[in-house]
Amino acid sequence: MSHASIRTAFAYAILTVGAALGVADSAEAAVYRTRWDPPYGQWFPDLGWSGTSALFIPDSCLVNSGTVACAGMTAGFAQAELFSLSNPSSTETLAFNQIVNLSSATFANGLLTAVTSDFFSPVLATFGAAGGGAYSFSLKFTDQGAFLFHLQNGKETSPPCGAPSFGINTQSCGYSDTFGQMSFSLAVPEPETYAMLLAGLGLLGFTARRRKLRLDQPVKGPDGGCQSITLSGR
């Protein structure tokens, strides 16, 4: 394989890993995954919910210990899986397909321990244990953990009545009683990403080998004999 092909393969590898992490330049931001798994509470007593989200924190915002609030910290690619506590095989996934700002991030001994965020836009849940299509849910992170904010259809509120700081929590507009204790880990590409990457590199090598074999085959001359050719610039 030529030097140009090798450079192309490595560039493809870098782009593949970067896309898998969901960042354009992973060298300038730390990418974390966060998870949580609480029951919802009194308003939907048979409802459990677990969730994940990606967090992007620029290197300039990283500290060893303390709480920072700086521009460029975001959360995204979040989802919450709703399930019935009495029948865990019954589930529905809410996908929050947008990016929201992180207001703050807290570190202890170099480890991320808490974040606070804006609200993710509401998503309608058709799941029976979550009101069977009568409620939309938003997601928010606080220093206490993750929580869902429920809003009965047709109930417009501004600011959101489900923010705990407002002290309002009702059946028509409120939030999960149990905050999801969030765990944090630095994100790494999934095994499937490595498999796809290796397959891509293998395909590049196979293509280069096929091309070399074709170029090495003798070329028939005008009299039916073989003649050699010289390729320059390769």
Side-chain angles (χ1 to χ4, degrees):
M1 185 183 295
S2 67
H3 291 297
S5 297
I6 293 174
R7 288 197 298 270
T8 300
F10 275 108
Y12 176 79
I14 292 171
L15 290 174
T16 301
V17 173
L21 293 177
V23 292
D25 188 352
S26 58
E28 296 181 359
V31 184
Y32 292 85
R33 297 286 187 214
T34 180
R35 299 179 182 276
W36 58 90
D37 187 8
Y40 197 91
Q42 61 176 323
W43 305 120
F44 303 101
D46 190 40
L47 181 64
W49 66 291
S50 61
T52 62
S53 179
L55 309 174
F56 309 96
I57 302 179
D59 286 351
S60 58
C61 300
L62 300 176
V63 297
N64 185 61
S65 295
T67 298
V68 295
C70 61
M73 301 191 304
T74 60
F77 308 101
Q79 66 178 31
E81 183 177 87
L82 310 181
F83 59 92
S84 168
L85 295 175
S86 60
N87 181 18
S89 63
S90 179
T91 65
E92 178 183 1
T93 299
L94 303 183
F96 299 94
N97 295 319
Q98 76 265 22
I99 303 295
V100 300
N101 292 323
L102 292 179
S103 307
S104 68
T106 301
F107 295 85
N109 298 319
L111 301 177
L112 183 62
T113 59
V115 294
T116 62
S117 78
D118 295 339
F119 274 97
F120 286 85
S121 298
V123 178
L124 178 67
T126 60
F127 192 56
Y135 291 86
S136 294
F137 291 83
S138 296
L139 175 65
K140 183 176 174 65
F141 305 140
T142 76
D143 53 6
Q144 295 176 273
F147 78 94
L148 281 182
F149 156 52
H150 62 264
L151 180 65
Q152 193 170 9
N153 292 344
K155 303 288 185 182
E156 297 296 333
T157 62
S158 181
C161 68
S165 59
F166 302 138
I168 301 173
N169 193 11
T170 67
Q171 177 69 56
S172 62
C173 186
Y175 54 91
S176 53
D177 296 334
T178 305
F179 283 59
Q181 296 302 307
M182 302 168 69
S183 62
F184 302 90
S185 61
L186 282 169
V188 296
E190 300 292 336
E192 292 81 0
T193 301
Y194 286 116
M196 292 174 61
L197 174 58
L198 291 175
L201 293 176
L203 181 60
L204 285 173
F206 176 76
T207 302
R209 180 174 174 79
R210 284 286 300 275
R211 182 183 303 165
K212 183 177 184 300
L213 288 175
R214 286 199 301 270
L215 294 177
D216 287 344
Q217 289 178 350
V219 178
K220 295 291 185 180
D223 58 355
C226 294
Q227 66 178 13
S228 62
I229 61 173
T230 300
L231 297 178
S232 61
R234 300 295 292 179

